Amino acid sequence: MGFHFAIPILALSSAVAASQDAFQSKCVQFGNQINLPHVSVNFAEYVPGGTNLSLSDNAPSCNAQNGAYQNVTADLCRITMAVETSNSSQITLEAWFPREYNGRFLSTGNGGLSGCIQYYDLDYASQFGFATVGANNGHNGTSGKPFYHHPEVLKDFAYRSLHTGVVVGKELTKQFYDEGFNKSYYLGCSTGGRQGWKSIQRYPSDFDGVVAGAPAINFSNLISWSARFYSILGSNTSDTYLTPDEWSLVHDEILRQCDTLDGAKDGIIEDPDLCRPILQTLICAADAKQTSSCLSSAQVHAAEQAFSPLYGTNGDLLYPRMQPGSEILASWIMYNGEPFPFSLDWFRYVVYDDPSWSGNFTVKDAAAALAQNPYNIQTWEGDIRPFQKTGGKILHYHGMQDELISSEDSKLYYSHVAEAMGQSPSELDDFYRFFPISGMSHCANGDGASAIGQGTQTYASSDPESNVLMAMVKWVEEGVAPETVRGAKLSAGPGSQAEYWRKHCRWPRRNFFKGPGNYTDESAWQCI
Ligand SMILES: *[C@@H]1O[C@H](CO)[C@@H](O)[C@H](O)[C@H]1NC(C)=O
Ligand SMILES: *[C@@H]1O[C@H](CO)[C@@H](O)[C@H](O)[C@H]1NC(C)=O
Ligand SMILES: *[C@@H]1O[C@H](CO)[C@@H](O)[C@H](O)[C@H]1NC(C)=O
Ligand SMILES: *[C@@H]1O[C@H](CO)[C@@H](O)[C@H](O)[C@H]1NC(C)=O
Ligand SMILES: *[C@@H]1O[C@H](CO)[C@@H](O)[C@H](O)[C@H]1NC(C)=O
Ligand SMILES: *[C@@H]1O[C@H](CO)[C@@H](O)[C@H](O)[C@H]1NC(C)=O
Ligand SMILES: *[C@@H]1O[C@H](CO)[C@@H](O)[C@H](O)[C@H]1NC(C)=O
Ligand SMILES: *[C@@H]1O[C@H](CO)[C@@H](O)[C@H](O)[C@H]1NC(C)=O
Ligand SMILES: *[C@@H]1O[C@H](CO)[C@@H](O)[C@H](O)[C@H]1NC(C)=O
């Protein structure tokens, strides 16, 4: 093969051009050849890197939420399919196979009650070379209405869509790339976090590495907990309602009481467990002239209720409290004087089969939702030894400023796993690590160093130390587990410069500012 050295540069570059064409035609041919049970190809197309992809076939409500266009970073082969999951259900599945392939398979997940392929996650993983798949979770659109009288669609949502996409996606990866793949990964947050855990619990051989964020686990109780805020706070004309400005007062008071518990006055509560705010300090004095910087007793009482756990009819803990610190973000969605839409849809179309259910939640509704637990959507199995035995690894993270899913539930789940398996944290560390991320809201953003590389929104570095996906690859393939997860505080949102970095500790360690210097100095912090 020595003559290769003699090939002039010109010939070499035309050989590269020819191989690019080969990838392109391979893509289209491949789409025509796919012959798998229950799979019908919609189309296969070559998408060059730099394309602004129009998602015109996508459900309008998904596009309204996520945008009708997706930047595609890598050159890739895009294959879209329908996969039947029963005689009355199907998923829409996309496979994005990059030209520059890293030999790894990856599945993405979903969010909320949706029905939306997360194109931004397909782009994120494929740009690193993963053969990436994403499905619509069994229905189209952001609403829960497709579950109404359609148990098979609900079953897809509870567990079957992700698994089906993985089975088909792995087979296609093997057929598309001569070299097949060696390792398989999962990346998801929120409902996607629950899907990751469901896979670990139910299909322990599907993934070698799972990155699961802010999981919507103990799902029925989560739905009830989020339904409850409307009952506590009322509509925006109720005397128990707080406006966003009033929640901002509450936030300032919480920071006054809790910000420095971690040693740093930086506007971020490292561990909200330590924060038990006393809100009566906000009650307006009887002779107060202006009441814009204080609250009525009814409001303070309601705010306290909002920070209390949800207990069942028999007094059992159903779901932990909202962690303090997230109230400004929550004021626009959880505390906005309207029933929380996902909870409303779940009770209407799943629990009660009653599209007119009002949203006036009581704890009896929580009992009904939990008793139903369709297809074990709870996702609360604590014994995950089958996954451990396969050698699988889990990186679980949760924002400590999450306004939609309380981070305290992730801590409860961690304890549940430890107890169900009889393993201490130092034993669990071999395969399961949980990282609370201070200053991160729901899956991204927030006031702190939340850019940990779980997706395009939180991308600041591809160094495994500062990127949870790359950290997982290193753990699975080199056996080097992440000690900390390093996050960037982005100066102006996704894609902007890092203002500072902070290393987040793995549970049950806690971050403490030991100084000297500024809180922006990552070496001034210590995991204790
Ligand atoms: C993609 O194209 C659409 C329609 O032309 C345009 O509105 C949008 O700004 C484009 N997005 C990017 C990122 O270029
Ligand atoms: C969802 O939308 C896709 C187009 O993106 C369509 O092919 C599919 O049939 C739809 N699925 C359902 C269940 O309506
Ligand atoms: C899409 O790509 C364009 C051009 O590379 C870039 O300017 C823009 O910020 C990207 N948009 C998103 C949403 O990533
Ligand atoms: C669809 O599947 C269900 C459950 O497997 C079965 O009971 C039903 O008869 C099937 N219906 C049709 C039309 O094939
Ligand atoms: C799988 O691993 C083997 C051994 O390390 C390596 O030779 C091969 O190239 C890998 N395959 C892929 C698809 O990366
Ligand atoms: C209160 O909520 C209603 C809808 O329920 C809305 O029309 C109105 O604008 C809201 N008022 C304020 C002050 O936000
Ligand atoms: C979560 O769900 C299970 C039942 O699926 C229940 O036994 C457990 O107590 C729940 N509790 C909490 C607080 O998460
Ligand atoms: C909600 O239910 C409670 C208790 O059943 C009742 O007192 C209240 O009037 C109801 N509120 C609305 C808005 O329906
Ligand atoms: C720490 O750095 C921030 C941001 O640069 C600055 O606003 C703040 O004043 C500094 N604090 C101290 C104690 O030096």
Side-chain angles (χ1 to χ4, degrees):
M1 302 304 265
F3 70 84
H4 270 186
F5 292 113
I7 291 179
I9 297 296
L10 198 65
L12 197 63
S13 58
S14 72
V16 169
S19 87
Q20 285 177 350
D21 290 340
F23 183 83
Q24 214 163 319
S25 46
K26 174 181 170 183
C27 175
V28 176
Q29 271 167 26
F30 183 73
N32 293 329
Q33 283 162 5
I34 290 173
N35 182 12
L36 293 174
H38 311 297
V39 177
S40 343
V41 174
N42 296 331
F43 60 84
E45 64 177 0
Y46 171 70
V47 183
T51 299
N52 175 9
L53 187 68
S54 163
L55 305 171
S56 52
D57 290 345
N58 208 18
S61 60
C62 294
N63 286 351
Q65 184 181 280
N66 302 328
Y69 293 87
Q70 176 62 49
N71 273 355
V72 179
T73 307
D75 285 0
L76 52 84
C77 179
R78 175 190 183 207
I79 305 150
T80 94
M81 295 153 272
V83 185
E84 262 179 46
T85 51
S86 75
N87 63 19
S88 57
S89 58
Q90 61 160 43
I91 63 168
T92 300
L93 179 69
E94 295 214 8
W96 286 23
F97 290 157
R99 182 200 299 279
E100 302 291 332
Y101 174 51
N102 69 13
R104 304 177 179 108
F105 171 81
L106 183 142
S107 176
T108 62
N110 303 91
L113 298 185
S114 93
C116 300
I117 292 174
Q118 297 196 163
Y119 288 98
Y120 43 90
D121 287 338
L122 284 165
D123 177 55
Y124 184 65
S126 59
Q127 75 184 266
F128 294 114
F130 293 86
T132 307
V133 298
N136 72 342
N137 221 3
H139 66 280
N140 288 330
T142 54
S143 145
K145 200 168 179 183
F147 302 140
Y148 187 47
H149 294 156
H150 285 105
E152 297 291 345
V153 175
L154 186 57
K155 196 178 199 172
D156 282 344
F157 180 78
Y159 71 87
R160 193 170 49 189
S161 173
L162 178 67
H163 178 65
T164 303
V166 168
V167 171
V168 172
K170 283 183 173 178
E171 188 54 39
L172 293 179
T173 304
K174 283 190 261 182
Q175 292 181 7
F176 187 79
Y177 296 107
D178 296 336
E179 65 271 46
F181 67 91
N182 280 338
K183 297 293 179 192
S184 95
Y185 295 90
Y186 176 76
L187 183 67
C189 194
S190 194
T191 280
R194 186 188 65 76
Q195 289 169 299
W197 277 110
K198 178 54 87 182
S199 169
I200 290 163
Q201 295 168 10
R202 190 179 171 114
Y203 298 106
S205 309
D206 273 1
F207 299 112
D208 299 295
V210 170
V211 179
I217 51 179
N218 217 324
F219 183 83
S220 306
N221 293 346
L222 166 64
I223 286 285
S224 296
W225 175 79
S226 32
R228 190 180 61 137
F229 295 108
Y230 177 63
S231 298
I232 293 172
L233 299 164
S235 72
N236 64 11
T237 55
S238 161
D239 62 0
T240 47
Y241 175 80
L242 284 78
T243 64
D245 284 347
E246 287 166 335
W247 279 112
S248 186
L249 286 182
V250 174
H251 183 66
D252 290 346
E253 179 61 11
I254 286 174
L255 285 185
R256 193 181 69 78
Q257 294 181 29
C258 298
D259 185 6
T260 56
L261 294 175
D262 52 32
K265 190 168 162 55
D266 58 354
I268 294 156
I269 303 169
E270 283 294 319
D271 187 355
D273 272 0
L274 304 180
C275 180
R276 304 278 150 188
I278 294 164
L279 301 180
Q280 288 71 30
T281 48
L282 288 166
I283 295 177
C284 296
D287 59 352
K289 288 279 182 307
Q290 56 103 10
T291 55
S292 63
S293 57
C294 58
L295 301 176
S296 71
S297 299
Q299 287 176 312
V300 166
H301 183 70
E304 281 211 300
Q305 291 298 300
F307 286 115
S308 69
L310 173 65
Y311 294 100
T313 44
N314 61 1
D316 282 355
L317 176 67
L318 294 181
Y319 201 83
R321 68 169 183 166
M322 174 69 98
Q323 81 279 288
S326 58
E327 43 286 341
I328 291 182
L329 293 159
S331 71
W332 297 104
I333 175 154
M334 281 295 210
Y335 309 159
N336 68 356
E338 308 270 351
F340 185 60
F342 298 153
S343 299
L344 196 59
D345 278 11
W346 189 258
F347 279 105
R348 284 179 171 175
Y349 303 120
V350 179
V351 180
Y352 292 134
D353 275 348
D354 172 10
S356 66
W357 187 74
S358 71
N360 190 9
F361 169 87
T362 73
V363 68
K364 283 192 192 133
D365 300 311
L370 184 58
Q372 188 190 40
N373 183 21
Y375 307 107
N376 197 14
I377 197 165
Q378 278 291 85
T379 317
W380 196 256
E381 309 309 312
D383 184 352
I384 51 172
R385 272 174 293 193
F387 183 80
Q388 184 181 29
K389 286 205 187 86
T390 67
K393 310 290 185 225
I394 308 159
L395 195 162
H396 172 178
Y397 65 89
H398 204 134
M400 294 293 104
Q401 238 187 340
D402 192 324
E403 74 282 23
L404 294 180
I405 298 183
S406 176
S407 58
E408 297 200 1
D409 196 53
S410 279
K411 295 174 181 174
L412 285 181
Y413 182 68
Y414 184 92
S415 311
H416 179 51
V417 170
E419 285 163 19
M421 294 181 48
Q423 296 189 11
S424 69
S426 63
E427 289 172 286
L428 291 180
D429 272 353
D430 284 346
F431 84 107
Y432 169 24
R433 295 183 175 212
F434 169 50
F435 294 91
I437 309 294
S438 66
M440 177 190 251
S441 64
H442 188 58
C443 296
N445 306 324
D447 293 336
S450 64
I452 59 170
Q454 72 99 352
T456 45
Q457 285 239 308
T458 57
Y459 179 64
S461 164
S462 53
D463 183 340
E465 196 189 16
S466 317
N467 182 302
V468 285
L469 178 56
M470 297 307 146
M472 180 50 83
V473 169
K474 190 169 174 181
W475 193 4
V476 166
E477 297 180 18
E478 296 169 35
V480 182
E483 288 300 308
T484 56
V485 163
R486 189 164 171 264
K489 160 74 180 168
L490 298 177
S491 50
S496 63
Q497 285 292 311
E499 207 174 295
Y500 64 85
W501 293 84
R502 189 168 297 174
K503 287 176 181 153
H504 301 287
C505 307
R506 74 178 182 281
W507 186 252
R509 291 159 189 76
R510 180 178 334 125
N511 225 353
F512 191 78
F513 181 75
K514 62 180 169 54
N518 197 300
Y519 63 81
T520 55
D521 175 3
E522 59 186 306
S523 63
W525 291 85
Q526 189 177 23
C527 295
I528 55 175

